[in-house]
Amino acid sequence: MILQRLFARKPNPAAALYDAIVAAARQPRFFAEWGVPDTVDGRFDVIVLHLFLVLDRLKGEPAEIRQKLIDYFFSDMDNSLREMGVGDVSVGKKVRKMAEAFYGRLTAYSTALREGEVALVASIERNVYAGEKNVSTVALAHWVVLAHTALSTQPVENILLANLKFE
């Protein structure tokens, strides 16, 4: 009993929230209805889009909350790369590239939401669809605005308990 308490891992409060974000990002409509490529990169982009929305909602809350969520995200990306068979030497380089992409997208989406629909559509086209024209870009941008609004009305306490709704 004592050994269990000594060696038991403390639950990470960001884990449940991150799991809820990933579950929302795995909805088939992103891939089937809106044409997001069902690839490693496409899935990464949809997770980042959801993560951006939650992080943006948590602005003004203690920075520790947001940082724990980001740290958990990168830990998951590291684990995923290893599960896909990426070697130890390459994992660091790939995670660094992911970090650059992640922070670039956070900045781009934040700026685009402030600037309006045209900027948001352009940002989504550039990041989610790798610059390729897609008829669903406007629909996905519309969803981002709706999700951003929906999250803004939810109490932070609910979000931190992973009871979040993107619509």
Side-chain angles (χ1 to χ4, degrees), residues 107-136:
T107 301
Y109 295 144
S110 182
T111 301
L113 271 176
R114 282 193 315 271
E115 292 178 357
E117 182 182 355
V118 172
L120 184 58
V121 168
S123 183
I124 288 172
E125 183 177 283
R126 184 177 55 253
N127 293 304
V128 176
Y129 297 105
E132 293 183 22
K133 296 286 183 201
N134 187 305
V135 295
S136 298

Side-chain angles (χ1 to χ4, degrees), residues 44-75:
F44 171 82
D45 279 315
V46 176
I47 291 171
V48 169
L49 192 54
H50 283 77
L51 189 54
F52 158 73
L53 289 165
V54 172
L55 290 170
D56 192 67
R57 173 60 180 96
L58 294 176
K59 281 183 180 172
E61 298 304 317
E64 178 185 0
I65 294 168
R66 292 167 43 106
Q67 190 58 54
K68 283 184 179 187
L69 187 55
I70 292 168
D71 291 345
Y72 198 84
F73 165 71
F74 281 112
S75 174

Side-chain angles (χ1 to χ4, degrees), residues 26-47:
R26 286 186 175 160
Q27 291 181 26
R29 72 176 167 176
F30 291 103
F31 309 98
E33 192 175 320
W34 292 329
V36 174
D38 193 3
T39 61
V40 172
D41 289 340
R43 288 174 181 254
F44 171 82
D45 279 315
V46 176
I47 291 171

Side-chain angles (χ1 to χ4, degrees), residues 5-18:
R5 278 192 246 154
L6 283 174
F7 294 107
R9 289 186 176 178
K10 293 180 182 174
N12 185 337
L17 179 55
Y18 180 73

